[in-house]
Amino acid sequence: MSPSSRTPLVALAAAGTVAAGVGYAAGIERNAFALREVTLPVLDPGSPTLRVLHLSDLHMMPNQRRKQAWVRALDELNPDLVVNTGDNLAHPSAVPAVVQALGPLLDRPGLFVFGSNDYFGPQPKNPFKYFRTNHKRVHGVALPWQDLRAAFTERGWLDLTHVRRELEVAGVRVAAAGVDDPHIERDRYATIAGRAPTEVELRLGLTHSPEPRVLDAFATDGYDLVLAGHTHGGQLCVPFHGALVTNCELDSSRAKGASHWGAHTWLHVSAGLGTSPYAPVRFACRPEASLLTLVPASRGGAAHAGQSAIDDLHFNGDSSAAPHEGAAP
């Protein structure tokens, strides 16, 4: 076969590979929910273990029944504390779906902050804009964040937006503080600034977008652990390399999972459970929730976080391939 005759075959094969990749990313991986388990040595010595379920970036549409059922089943993990770091909504009518998904988790101690997609609906955009952190942001339709906040707080979850709170969970005294979404410059760290309390076992910070300026502030004030989302773990990743972008100023090596931030503070970034309805794909970056087991550690000692992903967790043993979830009508 001559080189000229091979050219159409090569092009056809390449097009087929791309189509197969897109089909996998849109129809399978974005619905292949996984649980990430992480052990973090962040508690003061002598503290009991604390199990924290970290949820982020549900980007819920009303008809995403599989996602709702999977999230609801997470209650069977029996976490001591649930932390939600925002971007729950992707549709003006999605508040009931989020509440249905969280279900019994709302009866557990919970903390939350919101992200931009709790306030504003998603908009179609050029995906290459994600490679520029300073691109112009266009807000979509206003979303009913007040209704979502009311649903959370009426069930007992604490809104940490620009407030500091202390609580006791499973025998662990926690000092927690949070900021509004730095991605759209709603953060006002000055409202919570100041040294974190020393008479507690855990000092916990919350932010939706893990912007370094906010992480630096939490670290300076002595927080042990900061939880964030927003990055989607890169969403479209390169196998054996990882994320190409984070959609914020955070470096791509920290797009998901746990890492040190400074000498004392740990950062955990959730890859999240959803996508924008205008970019309903994930590749080499499964949607996830995270179960964080917090254990005591020496304040000056070396620490290590172990991580594992549990395939397509369904608590009832069902690990079948996920069906496609389309946009809401």
Side-chain angles (χ1 to χ4, degrees):
M1 182 181 294
S2 67
S4 59
S5 62
R6 286 198 300 266
T7 300
L9 294 178
V10 172
L12 184 61
T17 300
V18 171
V22 171
Y24 166 79
I28 297 178
E29 184 164 328
R30 79 177 179 96
N31 297 315
F33 308 113
L35 180 73
R36 177 182 295 271
E37 293 195 64
V38 185
T39 299
L40 291 173
V42 297
L43 301 180
D44 278 3
S47 304
T49 296
L50 185 69
R51 288 159 53 87
V52 178
L53 179 64
H54 182 191
L55 302 174
S56 199
D57 298 85
L58 273 69
H59 293 282
M60 190 69 75
M61 301 287 282
N63 70 332
Q64 291 179 320
R65 309 299 183 197
R66 179 183 172 88
K67 187 194 297 183
Q68 293 161 28
W70 193 89
V71 172
R72 190 177 181 87
L74 292 170
D75 184 67
E76 297 178 26
L77 294 170
N78 197 30
D80 301 310
L81 177 67
V82 183
V83 175
N84 182 313
T85 49
D87 272 13
N88 295 276
L89 305 176
H91 190 279
S93 300
V95 170
V98 172
V99 174
Q100 168 67 19
L102 293 172
L105 291 170
L106 289 168
D107 294 324
R108 297 183 180 275
L111 308 172
F112 69 93
V113 293
F114 283 157
S116 61
N117 284 133
D118 294 304
Y119 300 116
F120 306 105
Q123 286 277 84
K125 65 175 66 175
N126 182 341
F128 290 102
K129 285 187 175 181
Y130 288 108
F131 288 90
R132 294 186 288 111
T133 58
N134 60 348
H135 65 267
K136 182 179 179 181
R137 298 181 181 92
V138 179
H139 295 315
V141 63
L143 295 178
W145 65 269
Q146 298 97 329
D147 295 342
L148 185 63
R149 181 184 186 277
F152 286 177
T153 58
E154 286 170 4
R155 297 285 290 274
W157 280 16
L158 302 179
D159 183 357
L160 289 190
T161 305
H162 297 148
V163 296
R164 295 164 59 127
R165 295 181 182 269
E166 293 189 22
L167 62 154
E168 184 170 324
V169 182
V172 177
R173 293 174 298 168
V174 180
V179 296
D180 210 343
D181 189 4
H183 183 61
I184 51 175
E185 300 180 351
R186 293 177 68 117
D187 57 303
R188 302 291 182 267
Y189 191 87
T191 61
I192 59 168
R195 194 71 183 169
T198 58
E199 65 278 7
V200 298
E201 285 80 46
L202 173 66
R203 290 146 285 269
L204 178 65
L206 271 62
T207 178
H208 176 65
S209 179
E211 298 292 348
R213 69 175 186 276
V214 174
L215 303 180
D216 287 344
F218 276 123
T220 298
D221 281 342
Y223 284 82
D224 304 300
L225 173 63
V226 180
L227 302 185
H230 177 71
T231 65
H232 295 192
Q235 190 164 326
L236 297 175
C237 296
V238 177
F240 310 110
H241 172 78
L244 297 177
V245 297
T246 62
N247 195 25
C248 63
E249 296 290 344
L250 188 73
D251 61 278
S252 60
S253 67
R254 302 173 187 264
K256 67 179 177 181
S259 61
H260 278 296
W261 192 270
H264 170 68
T265 302
W266 278 91
L267 168 66
H268 183 266
V269 179
S270 171
L273 281 161
T275 67
S276 166
Y278 297 106
V281 292
R282 278 182 179 256
F283 189 79
C285 185
R286 292 173 63 177
E288 67 179 34
S290 299
L291 183 64
L292 312 179
T293 300
L294 309 186
V295 299
S298 170
R299 303 285 286 184
H304 173 72
Q307 301 180 10
S308 63
I310 296 180
D311 288 342
D312 211 16
L313 187 64
H314 287 281
F315 307 113
N316 61 2
D318 174 18
S319 59
S320 58
H324 177 74
E325 292 180 335

